[in-house]
Amino acid sequence: MNLLIKSATIVDSKSDFHNQSVDILIEKGFISQIAKTLKNPKKYKELNLDNLHISQGWFDSSVSFGEPGFEERETIENGLKTAALSGFTSVAVNANTNPVIDSHSDVLFIKSKASGNAVNIHPIGALTKESKSIELAELYDMTNAGAVAFYDYQKPVANPNLMKVALQYASNFDGLVISFPQESKISGLGVMNENVTSTSLGLKGNPALAEELQIARDLFLLEYTGGKLHIPTISTSKSVELIRAAKQNKLNVTCSVAIHNLIFDDTELKSFNTNYKVLPPLRTQDDINALIDGLKDGTIDMVTSDHNPIDIEHKKIEFDFAKYGTIGLESAFGALNTILTTKKTVEVLTKGKQRFNIESSPVAIGNKATLTLFNPNLTYTFTKEHILSTSKNSMFENKELKGKVYGIISNNTLILN
């Protein structure tokens, strides 16, 4: 692919052209020239977009598609198209399929289904066989097939010895263990945050304590075993404190937060809209403030859409019985850009690559063109028309967002909305 991009503002702190408005020449998928103004003697296609900003390609560390087994929720093909049009050039895909992705051949299946796509797919293998928390899955074999981490999606490992062994074993090949932060005996049958709101609504509560106990346990295990631990989608102020202290203690731990947990609090559930039923649950405004502070000071390493398509049959039912999950790829940038600066938004959408051993390609001459194109200033109301996923379970519907994605350049391909 050959392309001349005109008048683009670079948003990439690792680029020599950060904050500059430049022309970018791409030849055969690589950035060959960057300058204030470039001519086009070879008559390449030119790209001229309103208030165009460009950064290195974004990465989402927690995406669920459904295929194989739950294609009615989302297919890999449409999921990757959605990711591309939402600005993501790489996604880590969870193992919550049917069958669960827990073997060498399962990982190869995911990668083969995405072969030749503009978006790079990085399978996360299950940590335990069939995600049943009884015995470890084939971690090393899955690594050889291309798995980037190991995680029983939204299923806590109850047995501390199993988590201890996982951390010890994975450290032999620099494997990344992901542990969902919930102590299930404490969370019980809770379907939302345990708080005055849950009492007033008559819904069973899932207390912050359930998350914090599990995190404290896993951090003790990490200190004992060594290894690499990632704690996904934290949601409470105390969780931020625990991880901040662990990092000060030089433990090899990272964490993420779901974008919706940075924006919505548990009072949204007064409508009993099941799109707001997520795991971990929406917490309080005090928790949100602590999470945002944790992002700003680097305690929280990355954000994720935690994109989880759920078909209408499992969402349009009584709140207690509805499945957890919201889609979030399409709204990710516009939502984050309403609460953070554009520079910080781009930073937290790209920062997770290193932890998951994914190639980072700054906007620099000679580098592969792996780029996200966007307008950070356009405000709009997010409606069903903006949803690209097969499932429509978005909690951002009818919310005001700031920032529109134009598309991506990745794997020698230009994809535009």
Side-chain angles (χ1 to χ4, degrees), residues 112-307:
S112 68
K113 288 289 288 189
S115 178
N117 201 284
V119 178
N120 300 301
I121 198 166
H122 303 279
I124 296 174
L127 183 63
T128 64
K129 289 183 179 179
E130 298 180 30
S131 290
K132 288 183 174 178
S133 272
I134 297 173
E135 57 182 317
L136 289 184
E138 302 170 6
L139 307 189
Y140 184 65
D141 284 352
M142 287 192 287
T143 297
N144 289 336
V148 294
F150 310 104
Y151 177 31
D152 296 338
Y153 180 69
Q154 292 190 346
K155 292 182 177 180
V157 177
N159 182 346
N161 190 59
L162 188 60
M163 179 55 65
K164 175 179 77 82
V165 172
L167 286 164
Q168 289 173 324
Y169 177 59
S171 67
N172 291 315
F173 49 89
D174 200 35
L176 179 61
V177 172
I178 303 179
S179 178
F180 184 64
Q182 180 172 284
E183 167 43 73
S184 295
K185 288 184 176 65
I186 299 288
S187 61
L189 299 175
V191 293
M192 68 170 292
N193 183 47
E194 185 178 87
N195 192 24
V196 63
T197 306
S198 62
T199 303
S200 67
L201 295 178
L203 293 172
K204 294 183 180 71
N206 178 346
L209 177 66
E211 175 172 310
E212 295 150 8
L213 268 179
Q214 193 82 347
I215 288 176
R217 182 205 77 170
D218 287 344
L219 291 174
F220 271 114
L221 290 171
L222 179 66
E223 186 173 22
Y224 180 80
T225 60
K228 288 169 64 175
L229 178 66
H230 179 69
I231 301 173
T233 58
I234 67 170
S235 67
T236 80
S237 57
K238 181 70 173 176
S239 297
V240 178
E241 291 175 20
L242 288 166
I243 293 167
R244 184 179 286 125
K247 288 188 169 187
Q248 290 168 353
N249 200 25
K250 307 300 183 189
L251 294 189
N252 192 352
V253 61
T254 53
C255 67
S256 68
V257 61
I259 294 168
H260 47 262
N261 282 105
L262 294 168
I263 293 175
F264 301 112
D265 64 34
D266 57 2
T267 61
E268 297 285 349
L269 275 73
K270 290 178 179 178
S271 65
F272 289 94
N273 181 344
T274 57
N275 287 339
Y276 292 100
K277 185 181 180 182
V278 288
L279 199 64
L282 302 178
R283 302 289 187 183
T284 68
Q285 188 59 50
D286 286 344
D287 292 311
I288 290 174
N289 295 340
L291 291 166
I292 292 174
D293 287 344
L295 257 188
K296 289 179 177 176
D297 71 17
T299 300
I300 298 174
D301 301 272
M302 62 197 85
V303 297
T304 172
S305 67
D306 205 23
H307 181 82

Side-chain angles (χ1 to χ4, degrees), residues 341-402:
T341 65
T342 299
K343 179 185 175 185
K344 188 65 178 178
T345 296
V346 169
E347 179 188 315
V348 295
L349 285 172
T350 56
K351 197 175 168 190
K353 294 179 188 177
Q354 183 178 1
R355 187 60 166 175
F356 284 78
N357 285 325
I358 290 164
E359 181 185 10
S360 182
S361 188
V363 186
I365 296 168
N367 280 359
K368 192 185 296 183
T370 305
L371 308 169
T372 300
L373 292 65
F374 57 96
N375 178 348
N377 298 332
L378 188 66
T379 57
Y380 66 103
T381 301
F382 186 81
T383 65
K384 267 199 167 63
E385 285 67 47
H386 296 107
I387 295 176
L388 306 169
S389 302
T390 302
S391 297
K392 309 302 177 186
N393 55 309
S394 171
M395 70 168 72
F396 286 94
E397 193 175 339
N398 299 320
K399 304 298 181 185
E400 288 292 316
L401 303 184
K402 181 187 177 187

